[in-house]
Amino acid sequence: LFHFKCHEGIYYHSLDYLPRSLRMMSDTSSSPRNIPAIAMVLSDMDGVSSNVSHHSNPSFPNKEAAQKYLSSISAPRDLICPITQEIYNNPVVASDGNTYEKQAIKTWFDAQRNSTGSIRSPVTNAYMDLDAAGTMLVENKAVSSMARSHKEKLGEELCLRCQAVCDNAPDALGDEGFRIKGLVEAGADLSLKGCEGGNTAFMCLLQSRFAPDKEKIRFDLLNYFMVHSVHVSLINDDGYSCVELAEELLSSTDRSINIPYHHLVQQISQRSKLEIQRNKAQSEARNEYNNEQRERQRVLADNARNRDETDESGIVNADGLGRMENGWGYFPSLPTLLIQGNVPAPPASFADEEMKEKKRLAYILRFTTLVVALFWFLC
């Protein structure tokens, strides 16, 4: 059984992190007396140590290896804004056909208009119209989805590496936080709750136990997260916020490094208050926008319904196969769209007959309901 699992690769990573004596046993495991001992150890490590190789952060052998890792986590060129040179947060398409970060291209338009009185494309340097059509921006949902997916992928790796630091895994800080900083710099989703207990990577570092000689690394990592606008108003599964975790860290740290952490706690507290206010304002703006969209859909539905009921000549339902819906936000199926697009409009006589048939069926239904109600009442 042991040989089968090793050959299939199930315990491949576990063997890499077994003690040297057990790895020597695995090399000579042809002896039957060694199999139970190794199998027992592997059973205890199943599901935990098999992922250690993905969690640990060993030191790099050289600069080329470090650069290779940064290249492996960098976003594809299509997900990088040509102005900010950072991964997209809110990508939009301009009239020149290129995609930009929304706030960056708006700033570009304003700067160009104020300095030269004209607007040129940031990519092609071609002139762009100054009217509304020339400066119109359309959301690029495809690029936005791909950028979000890439950020989530980096965020998952970031949570794994920070969880390894919290669990004191082997070589968890062998690179002195280089990989963690690289993931943050590459645009990892810092709001992802991918650590144990519903913690974010930032929360996980706040709860980690660092040796005194490694405490400076933790402080640098926390500050690095703060510089990159980490979300600090989130709450983990135990109901603790970043502010509470930071205060607990402050109370447990050595007094010699208490002052820097005191300033950090103040920054976290201030940012948390600002985030709560901003989230509230965004929620109100989103609700207002949704209400406007619902009202717009209601008006469009009323106009479409009126158009379906009577055309310019006063003929009922002359534009299609009859009215298919009575509510708002109706989305017809693909077969319905195909039928409507290929079948000619029915004559007025057909529409009249259809309405008569509907009335007849409605009368039969009401009569049947009345009979059933009387029968139930009398019996």
Side-chain angles (χ1 to χ4, degrees):
L1 176 64
F2 169 72
H3 280 297
F4 173 77
K5 289 188 175 182
C6 284
H7 290 316
E8 289 297 320
I10 297 178
Y11 292 116
Y12 176 79
H13 297 299
S14 299
L15 288 174
D16 292 342
Y17 288 89
L18 286 174
R20 182 177 181 83
S21 58
L22 286 178
R23 279 185 278 138
M24 293 175 63
M25 290 172 62
S26 67
D27 295 336
T28 60
S29 58
S30 57
S31 175
R33 58 189 175 84
N34 290 332
I35 295 177
I38 299 176
M40 180 180 64
V41 174
L42 293 177
S43 176
D44 293 337
M45 299 178 68
D46 188 17
V48 179
S49 297
S50 60
N51 291 324
V52 172
S53 61
H54 298 290
H55 295 184
S56 59
N57 305 305
S59 59
F60 293 101
N62 48 53
K63 292 184 179 181
E64 289 74 14
Q67 188 61 39
K68 184 178 180 180
Y69 174 76
L70 293 180
S71 300
S72 67
I73 63 175
S74 60
R77 195 64 192 169
D78 293 338
L79 302 182
I80 300 296
C81 173
I83 299 177
T84 64
Q85 292 300 307
E86 295 179 353
I87 190 170
Y88 289 112
N89 289 315
N90 191 6
V92 292
V93 179
S95 59
D96 63 348
N98 294 296
T99 301
Y100 306 95
E101 183 65 31
K102 184 175 182 179
Q103 190 56 47
I105 191 61
K106 281 187 173 181
T107 303
W108 175 274
F109 285 163
D110 294 339
Q112 290 270 303
R113 187 184 291 110
N114 295 334
S115 61
T116 63
S118 60
I119 298 178
R120 288 176 176 265
S121 169
V123 175
T124 64
N125 203 36
Y127 283 101
M128 302 172 65
D129 294 332
L130 293 174
D131 56 6
T135 57
M136 182 179 65
L137 302 175
V138 180
E139 180 184 3
N140 194 333
K141 294 185 178 181
V143 172
S144 177
S145 177
M146 289 188 292
R148 182 167 58 251
S149 177
H150 182 76
K151 290 179 181 179
E152 290 176 355
K153 181 181 178 181
L154 297 182
E156 292 173 357
E157 182 180 345
L158 177 64
C159 288
L160 290 176
R161 296 193 181 281
C162 290
Q163 185 65 53
V165 174
C166 187
D167 296 340
N168 291 322
D171 287 332
L173 288 174
D175 61 352
E176 297 185 349
F178 181 88
R179 289 180 177 84
I180 294 178
K181 289 182 179 180
L183 289 167
V184 175
E185 184 69 29
D189 185 1
L190 304 183
S191 63
L192 188 66
K193 295 183 178 181
C195 300
E196 294 180 3
N199 289 294
T200 63
F202 185 71
M203 290 178 173
C204 201
L205 291 177
L206 286 173
Q207 300 176 75
S208 302
R209 294 183 178 275
F210 281 66
D213 59 328
K214 300 288 186 180
E215 196 64 49
K216 184 178 182 301
I217 298 178
R218 195 233 303 261
F219 185 75
D220 290 341
L221 289 175
L222 293 176
N223 273 315
Y224 205 78
F225 274 77
M226 292 294 292
V227 170
H228 287 79
S229 304
V230 62
H231 296 278
V232 296
S233 59
L234 302 174
I235 299 176
N236 62 14
D237 294 346
D238 295 328
Y240 291 102
S241 65
C242 291
V243 176
E244 295 171 328
L245 295 176
E247 291 175 347
E248 183 178 350
L249 172 64
L250 178 63
S251 62
S252 61
T253 53
D254 192 292
R255 290 188 177 182
S256 60
I257 57 174
N258 200 285
I259 295 179
Y261 275 112
H262 183 72
H263 293 316
L264 179 64
V265 172
Q266 288 182 337
Q267 294 177 14
I268 295 175
S269 179
Q270 294 174 359
R271 179 173 295 182
S272 178
K273 294 178 181 178
L274 293 176
E275 280 187 13
I276 293 174
Q277 295 176 358
R278 184 173 65 249
N279 293 339
K280 183 179 179 181
Q282 290 177 349
S283 178
E284 293 176 352
R286 184 167 54 250
N287 291 336
E288 182 179 354
Y289 174 80
N290 290 337
N291 291 334
E292 292 177 355
Q293 290 299 312
R294 292 190 188 98
E295 179 63 21
R296 182 171 179 270
Q297 285 295 315
R298 187 189 68 79
V299 173
L300 293 175
D302 288 342
N303 294 338
R305 195 157 40 243
N306 295 334
R307 224 174 17 249
D308 290 340
E309 290 177 353
T310 306
D311 66 358
E312 295 179 357
S313 61
I315 300 177
V316 177
N317 289 331
D319 293 332
L321 297 177
R323 187 170 64 242
M324 295 181 296
E325 51 89 15
N326 293 319
W328 307 332
Y330 173 80
F331 294 91
S333 63
L334 181 59
T336 304
L337 293 174
L338 293 174
I339 291 173
Q340 282 189 320
N342 294 285
V343 178
S349 59
F350 179 86
D352 293 338
E353 290 295 327
E354 185 183 31
M355 293 300 295
K356 290 179 182 179
E357 187 65 16
K358 286 183 178 180
K359 290 181 181 179
R360 188 179 71 84
L361 292 175
Y363 175 79
I364 293 174
L365 180 61
R366 286 196 295 268
F367 179 78
T368 304
T369 304
L370 179 60
V371 171
V372 172
L374 289 175
F375 179 80
W376 178 81
F377 179 78
L378 294 176
C379 295

